[in-house]
Amino acid sequence: DARVTQTPRHKVTEMGQEVTMRCQPILGHNTVFWYRQTMMQGLELLAYFRNRAPLDDSGMPKDRFSAEMPDATLATLKIQPSEPRDSAVYFCASGSNTDTQYFGPGTRLTVL
Amino acid sequence: RKEVEQDPGPFNVPEGATVAFNCTYSNSASQSFFWYRQDCRKEPKLLMSVYSSGNEDGRFTAQLNRASQYISLLIRDSKLSDSATYLCVVTGTDKLIFGTGTRLQVFP
């Protein structure tokens, strides 16, 4: 049963520290999405890639967030420096197209 | 105005009840529509797509009203296991737009 995997599952860090989250999409999926979910805002799209090329990162604060896909099996989301308002659950999703997306279990980030 | 709006609930219903959720969307150009389900502290999972003619999957019925730009989900014979948050999803420009979800709690 193919699944999207994400690491770490939980991360507690202090303000100002760098945070890197990783995602392994389902093999064969060419589209990868990064979302952030908070109680107040719900699920927000941060960035997405198709065939490893970034297509849209307009949802992402550019000054501190960066997303990359160094190869077809790995997507990364980095926050540097982290701030308390970044505390959220970060989901990665993959799919063969935009419509059908399979979500990973998420990384629960707490910035103190 | 949010692109996808849902009543956050919670909807508290007894087992066996029928419950319906609505969702409105603002982009008349949206082409595809879905309901996702999210359990507490878990990831969202696709529940069903929503087709123009309406569609049914067991106890779940989804309907789309393009003229009024709303989508509905009807759950019949509610089970305790239906307790979750239901996310209304529509397509935007090459991406999915998620509502903030409607929480359902089914009690014995």
Side-chain angles (χ1 to χ4, degrees):
Chain A
D1 188 22
R3 297 185 184 199
V4 176
T5 58
Q6 290 186 245
T7 57
R9 295 291 306 277
H10 302 272
K11 176 73 177 178
V12 180
T13 191
E14 292 189 344
M15 183 173 65
Q17 297 297 305
E18 178 179 299
V19 175
T20 299
M21 291 169 270
R22 294 177 174 80
C23 166
Q24 182 172 14
I26 293 172
L27 192 64
H29 284 182
N30 66 345
T31 311
V32 176
F33 305 83
W34 281 107
Y35 292 90
R36 174 172 63 186
Q37 187 174 40
T38 60
M39 289 291 290
M40 295 302 294
Q41 298 295 327
L43 206 57
E44 302 173 279
L45 178 66
L46 296 175
Y48 74 98
F49 297 78
R50 180 160 294 140
N51 298 320
R52 295 177 55 203
L55 285 194
D56 185 351
D57 61 1
S58 59
M60 205 163 66
K62 302 289 191 309
D63 55 337
R64 299 183 299 107
F65 284 60
S66 61
E68 295 180 345
M69 216 169 155
D71 63 61
T73 65
L74 177 65
T76 62
L77 179 66
K78 192 173 294 187
I79 308 174
Q80 167 64 16
S82 58
E83 296 181 3
R85 59 181 166 148
D86 300 330
S87 298
V89 182
Y90 291 81
F91 287 105
C92 172
S94 73
S96 303
N97 53 55
T98 303
D99 284 6
T100 306
Q101 299 183 20
Y102 297 85
F103 283 75
T107 294
R108 189 171 295 273
L109 174 66
T110 302
V111 183
L112 303 173
Chain B
R1 184 188 168 195
K2 289 185 178 178
E3 292 184 79
V4 179
E5 299 213 50
Q6 297 182 249
D7 180 344
F11 284 58
N12 296 305
V13 303
E15 272 186 292
T18 295
V19 61
F21 310 134
N22 288 331
C23 156
T24 58
Y25 62 95
S26 60
N27 185 356
S28 59
S30 294
Q31 293 295 313
S32 301
F33 308 87
F34 310 91
W35 284 100
Y36 274 67
R37 170 191 168 129
Q38 186 172 22
D39 292 295
C40 188
R41 302 179 79 83
K42 299 282 191 180
E43 70 273 22
K45 291 183 180 177
L46 178 65
L47 177 66
M48 58 196 300
S49 300
V50 186
Y51 302 120
S52 297
S53 54
N55 49 297
E56 198 173 293
D57 183 0
R59 298 180 294 107
F60 298 81
T61 301
Q63 296 209 309
L64 167 65
N65 185 320
R66 283 190 186 271
S68 301
Q69 293 182 210
Y70 81 77
I71 305 151
S72 65
L73 177 68
L74 182 81
I75 306 176
R76 289 182 300 279
D77 189 22
S78 299
K79 311 289 185 193
L80 294 176
S81 57
D82 294 333
S83 298
T85 296
Y86 291 83
L87 304 170
C88 173
V89 186
V90 308
T91 48
T93 307
D94 203 28
K95 59 186 178 183
L96 295 182
I97 312 294
F98 286 78
T100 50
T102 296
R103 199 164 130 241
L104 172 66
Q105 184 68 48
V106 182
F107 58 88

